[in-house]
Amino acid sequence: MVVETETGRDESEAAAATASAMDDGPCGESEGGGDAAAKAVGAKDAGEGDEPKEEEEDGRDREEEEEEAAKRGWSEIRLAIEELSAVDVERRGGKPPPPLPPPPTLTFLALSHLLLQVLDKIGPTMAVLRLDVQRNIERLQELYLLDPSKYYNLEEILEKEVDEGTARKVDSCARAILWLTRSMDFTIALLQRLEEDSDQKCFAQLVESAYMVTLKPWHGWISSAAYKIAMKLIPDRKMFINLLVGKCQDCAALKEEIRKLAKLLKPFLDDIHAMMAKFRLDRLKST
């Protein structure tokens, strides 16, 4: 009986040991198996955690694409407002801290390109002015691209040419900045007259008025003669307004945008004129 009992006990212990070994897995790797399972669960959780991030990035990409698509329908005036608004916040911060940083070159170039598009809408009348604007943009852009970190603002470019004694030359970047600024003076003067005119004057009269106060004082007889010929090809008022209005806009919205643009652009141009005066380059004339 005793023998049978001990044998039974031994068999029970052996069976328990076998069951324990089976639970532990082969080679007794119970803890390793538990770690692997935990890692698998962790990996799954990590994978699930990445999904919201990917969805968030996709959402941002879609928003950027939609914003770009919307901007393609904007008028040149609204694009200029967008460009200047960012610079105004950066330079002024909503208040007038003295002194203001010099006007950034890239913003100036972007506005100059928008100016070209407005001149294109006026038509072949502005062909001579447009060609000058195009050449000035290319000259300034070429220098900027030589060293963007050095020529990031217009004052650096002026200082370079003043130090070299080339600022007053016909093909200088200083002259390019000056004439691009004057061309923008003309453009904003024309747009303001268009917005403020309640007498519905013909477009040629508005162009003439803007020209007389912005470009005429600096034009020599050759440039003035070219302008007089160009005036004969001025489009009518309605056609020009229709060309200016962007998609999903009306005349009321256009007038509001012109007011916003004038408020942002005039201080920007005034800063450039003051900078040119500091270097005594503000009185240069054309032939």
Side-chain angles (χ1 to χ4, degrees):
M1 291 288 294
V2 173
V3 173
E4 289 177 359
T5 301
E6 290 176 351
T7 301
R9 188 165 54 249
D10 291 341
E11 288 175 353
S12 298
E13 290 173 357
T18 302
S20 175
M22 290 176 66
D23 289 341
D24 289 346
C27 303
E29 294 176 336
S30 63
E31 293 182 1
D35 288 345
K39 288 178 181 177
V41 171
K44 182 180 178 183
D45 290 343
E48 290 175 351
D50 289 340
E51 288 178 5
K53 292 181 180 178
E54 291 176 1
E55 290 176 359
E56 184 178 340
E57 289 174 1
D58 290 342
R60 280 198 298 267
D61 291 340
R62 282 194 297 271
E63 287 177 4
E64 289 175 2
E65 289 174 3
E66 289 171 0
E67 184 177 346
E68 288 299 319
K71 284 185 178 181
R72 283 194 287 271
W74 286 7
S75 67
E76 288 79 8
I77 294 173
R78 189 172 180 187
L79 289 169
I81 291 171
E82 181 85 357
E83 191 76 38
L84 283 164
S85 295
V87 175
D88 191 60
V89 170
E90 182 180 343
R91 296 181 73 222
R92 301 174 189 275
K95 53 186 177 181
L100 290 173
T105 305
L106 270 183
T107 300
F108 186 73
L109 285 169
L111 292 170
S112 298
H113 279 290
L114 291 170
L115 166 64
L116 272 183
Q117 295 177 39
V118 173
L119 294 177
D120 284 339
K121 294 181 187 305
I122 298 177
T125 301
M126 293 292 125
V128 176
L129 178 57
R130 189 199 187 284
L131 184 59
D132 286 342
V133 170
Q134 181 68 50
R135 287 172 178 167
N136 288 331
I137 289 174
E138 290 171 357
R139 191 182 309 150
L140 186 58
Q141 192 166 279
E142 185 178 347
L143 177 62
Y144 169 76
L145 291 175
L146 289 177
D147 193 344
S149 61
K150 182 178 181 180
Y151 303 122
Y152 67 96
N153 69 55
L154 298 179
E155 190 167 38
E156 293 293 333
I157 295 173
L158 294 178
E159 286 180 351
K160 169 191 178 296
E161 292 193 338
V162 168
D163 291 344
E164 293 174 351
T166 60
R168 293 177 176 271
K169 289 187 175 181
V170 176
D171 60 348
S172 69
C173 284
R175 278 189 181 266
I177 293 169
L178 180 61
W179 280 105
L180 286 171
T181 304
R182 287 172 177 171
S183 298
M184 286 188 225
D185 287 335
F186 165 75
T187 303
I188 194 61
L190 173 59
L191 292 175
Q192 282 186 296
R193 281 160 174 74
L194 194 67
E195 184 266 323
E196 295 167 356
D197 178 40
S198 58
D199 298 329
Q200 295 294 302
K201 294 178 184 176
C202 73
F203 188 52
Q205 288 178 293
L206 299 179
V207 174
E208 173 78 12
S209 174
Y211 173 78
M212 293 301 290
V213 298
T214 56
L215 296 176
K216 171 66 175 173
W218 313 111
H219 274 176
W221 72 269
I222 295 177
S223 298
S224 296
Y227 166 77
K228 287 177 182 177
I229 295 171
M231 281 297 292
K232 297 177 181 179
L233 302 171
I234 291 283
D236 64 58
R237 180 192 184 106
K238 185 177 180 181
M239 180 185 296
F240 181 67
I241 291 176
N242 288 338
L243 290 170
L244 275 183
V245 173
K247 294 180 181 178
C248 304
Q249 265 193 326
D250 55 29
C251 289
L254 176 63
K255 287 190 173 187
E256 179 60 29
E257 287 189 351
I258 289 174
R259 284 192 286 268
K260 287 181 182 177
L261 177 61
K263 185 178 179 181
L264 290 167
L265 184 57
K266 287 181 75 65
F268 185 79
L269 296 178
D270 288 343
D271 288 347
I272 298 174
H273 284 301
M275 182 178 63
M276 300 301 292
K278 183 176 75 171
F279 290 101
R280 298 183 179 179
L281 297 169
D282 57 318
R283 311 297 295 177
L284 299 179
K285 292 187 176 184
S286 68
T287 55

